[in-house]
Amino acid sequence: MNTQKPYDQDPYQEVLVSPRYLAGSNGTGDAGFAPVAHWPHHYLDEGPCQLLVTSPDQRIRIGWFGDDFDLWKITAAKEAASATRWTATFNHVTPAEIVAGLTTALAHDYAEADAYDGNGRFLANPSYHWADAVRPLTDAGWTRDGGAERGTVEIIAPDGQAGVLIDNRLSGWDDETVTLWAGPPGWGTHAEAVFTARTPSHLIAATAAAMTDSAPVIRERHQINRRMRHLVTLTPVSPPAPRVSRAPAPLDVRRTAVTQAVQRAAHTRQTPSDLRVMAARSRTTVSAQNRSSSSAHTLGTRPMASPPTPRRSR
């Protein structure tokens, strides 16, 4: 348990945040773009979209809107110039590590697609069974909420701080039908990933799987919204610097000798006078050892003289 007060903590210290779906955005899209780092990058000077990463044939487009509420907009089309088949948007609170669940799946689908075929798994029709899109959530123990509106399904995380809402009512192909969410309501606390009706089920499932991943994500302390701090576990990435050990000073040696003498005496019944005598002897012994060690260091390998023969008393 961290006993430091908030104002004693370094706001720029890196911490591991768990659960990851409550970590929020770190202000960059690096984690989300990492799976498609080898695709063409287009930096735009005008318009809300600041960075556009596309598949080599431009059928898949991943847009980064750095100053907008919907931070990410990801689309796919049968041809570069044809109408968008499906759209996924992620708002400004959604962790980029969750976006990476989708971009990883897209990179895999594109790599597996036939370059001369106008199709690809990223253009597959969604499953008729809504459960296929959210199976990673139910497999992780998320449960269905019986109070959802008629014609919709809502599945909630065990901590009640994340879920998915599926709208099964009749709708158009471009309508938003699946919403993954996390965090309490609020501008800086509520994350949302929204998918339109024709989004392939396995791509929604890949995003859901990224939400249930138990691995924490890295943030700086100041990037965690203060209203979220009681909902997450923060673990410093780097432990405190270890204390550097130093050679014991002469005073430390004397104190240790006295303490050891007292501890030895505690195991036998000694008078106070006996304890003082033993402690004094320990100090004398240590002092003699220190002098002997110093002399030996000075004289090098010079042999020690034999002790004198004791005189017999008359």
Side-chain angles (χ1 to χ4, degrees), residues 193-222:
V194 182
F195 303 86
T196 56
R198 284 192 290 183
T199 307
S201 299
H202 76 281
L203 295 180
I204 300 175
T207 311
M211 289 188 68
T212 62
D213 191 335
S214 60
V217 297
I218 296 177
R219 295 289 184 270
E220 294 178 354
R221 285 189 181 274
H222 70 91

Side-chain angles (χ1 to χ4, degrees), residues 219-237:
R219 295 289 184 270
E220 294 178 354
R221 285 189 181 274
H222 70 91
Q223 294 173 334
I224 306 301
N225 190 291
R226 60 182 180 82
R227 290 177 291 168
M228 303 289 286
R229 290 174 188 168
H230 70 289
L231 299 174
V232 297
T233 298
L234 304 180
T235 305
V237 171

